[in-house]
Amino acid sequence: MRGPHVPHIGRLGVLRRTTLLLVVAGVLFLTLAMVSLWSWRTFASSQGFADTTTDMLKEPAVREVLVDQIVNALETTEPASQFTATARPVIESIVGQLVATDQFQGIFHAGVRELHSGLVEGTRSSLIVRVDDAAQLVRDSLAAANETIADAISDDALEVAVGISQSTPVDTTVRVASLAGWLAAPFALLSAICLVWAVRRARDRRRALEVVGVTMVGVGVVHFALLAIQLQIVASLGNTDRERTALRALFWSVVHLLNVQAKVLITAGLVIAIAAAHAGTGQIRERLVGVIDRVAGILARPHWRALACAALI
């Protein structure tokens, strides 16, 4: 009489390695999907770019910088330069209150969205030709259409607009972000396929599901750590406290979607891991109590007590 079939040890090892590779691939594709969605929403979408830019105005330090720019522009305008220089504190207060209103932020949002749509999205279907006097050509064209509008636009603003429209890095960034938007859904689908396949191929599916959840939590924590490091690097570029605060606000506005995605990833991972652990042998409460007892036993050792006392000192 033949006994029960026992799989070969080597094949079990291959299955374990295959499951691990599938989990890693699934998490990698999930990360690529998150980054792709963020890059498309932040740089390629006019609505998303306007939302990100307008969100920066919620920070008082950013509003102060914007107020300085507006007042400085008024000082360079001939009709109002003398009055602005004389009553600068009063004008700064008035402009600051105006910038903080919902009406101004709505106008600012609409203007940024139209600017992004006109200057950036247009590069997707246009042939860029380098012209040294492009700004003057644009001004002459505006003057022919409406001389009042042409006179109202400063040379600096026109140079910036023309520079953005002819910028190769900007064009490349928009094209890559647009392509990433199309790849976000396939990356997410590949991630789901890899993770589901990893669980199905595992000998202990409950344990594999628990590992998937813990891995998702770990990836979310790593994202937070990387964002924190990048925040410190960006903030260090400022020379004053106000500049550093403004740079922090700018950074968090740009990576807001990544921040939300990391939180969702951690929450989903915790739910999956806890559900899988609770479905195993023994209740989740008993397992947690066992972990706490083991940790307490380790900390009760003399050398750990000495290390804790040194840390408290």
Side-chain angles (χ1 to χ4, degrees):
M1 183 176 181
R2 299 179 60 183
H5 175 69
V6 179
H8 193 269
I9 296 178
R11 179 164 178 78
L12 291 178
V14 171
L15 287 176
R16 284 195 290 267
R17 287 193 296 270
T18 303
T19 301
L20 180 60
L21 290 176
L22 287 172
V23 171
V24 173
V27 172
L28 178 60
F29 283 127
L30 183 59
T31 303
L32 291 175
M34 293 170 55
V35 175
S36 299
L37 179 61
W38 164 77
S39 61
W40 171 80
R41 172 70 178 173
T42 305
F43 301 110
S45 170
S46 296
Q47 181 68 29
F49 182 81
D51 291 342
T52 301
T53 308
T54 307
D55 185 66
M56 300 175 185
L57 297 179
K58 296 179 181 179
E59 177 61 39
V62 177
R63 292 201 300 266
E64 291 178 3
V65 174
L66 181 60
V67 169
D68 286 342
Q69 295 295 325
I70 294 175
V71 176
N72 291 336
L74 290 175
E75 287 184 344
T76 59
T77 304
E78 185 60 30
S81 59
Q82 185 175 0
F83 175 75
T84 304
T86 305
R88 183 181 178 94
V90 178
I91 295 179
E92 284 182 346
S93 176
I94 296 174
V95 175
Q97 295 177 5
L98 177 64
V99 169
T101 60
D102 295 336
Q103 291 79 5
F104 176 86
Q105 295 183 12
I107 296 174
F108 183 82
H109 183 278
V112 171
R113 185 180 65 244
E114 292 300 323
L115 179 65
H116 183 278
S117 178
L119 295 180
V120 180
E121 288 190 352
T123 61
R124 298 172 179 170
S125 57
S126 62
L127 177 64
I128 298 178
V129 179
R130 301 296 174 188
V131 180
D132 294 335
D133 57 346
Q136 185 60 42
L137 291 176
V138 172
R139 181 174 293 280
D140 294 341
S141 300
L142 286 175
N146 192 320
E147 188 173 356
T148 303
I149 296 178
D151 294 337
I153 300 177
S154 64
D155 293 337
D156 293 338
L158 196 59
E159 290 287 347
V160 171
V162 173
I164 292 176
S165 64
Q166 292 188 334
S167 175
T168 301
V170 171
D171 178 68
T172 303
T173 300
V174 173
R175 292 180 184 276
V176 172
S178 301
L179 177 61
W182 288 100
L183 295 177
F187 281 148
L189 181 60
L190 288 174
S191 173
I193 292 174
C194 290
L195 295 178
V196 172
W197 193 11
V199 173
R200 290 183 61 87
R201 288 182 63 90
R203 288 183 299 164
D204 188 348
R205 294 183 177 179
R206 184 201 61 79
R207 181 64 176 174
L209 194 60
E210 187 176 345
V211 170
V212 169
V214 173
T215 305
M216 292 173 61
V217 173
V219 172
V221 172
V222 170
H223 282 183
F224 275 127
L226 292 177
L227 290 178
I229 295 173
Q230 294 172 11
L231 173 64
Q232 297 302 320
I233 295 175
V234 172
S236 65
L237 300 177
N239 297 322
T240 63
D241 291 339
R242 188 179 70 173
E243 290 181 357
R244 286 189 285 270
T245 302
L247 288 173
R248 291 190 187 97
L250 293 175
F251 177 81
W252 281 123
S253 297
V254 172
V255 301
H256 173 71
L257 184 58
L258 284 178
N259 186 25
V260 173
Q261 290 174 335
K263 292 179 180 178
V264 173
L265 191 62
I266 291 176
T267 303
L270 285 174
V271 171
I272 294 174
I274 293 175
H278 185 70
T281 57
Q283 299 297 320
I284 185 65
R285 183 178 301 177
E286 297 177 0
R287 297 183 63 181
L288 290 176
V289 169
V291 172
I292 293 173
D293 291 340
R294 287 194 296 271
V295 172
I298 294 174
L299 295 178
R301 298 175 182 176
H303 59 277
W304 284 108
R305 288 185 179 181
L307 183 60
C309 293
L312 292 175
I313 294 175

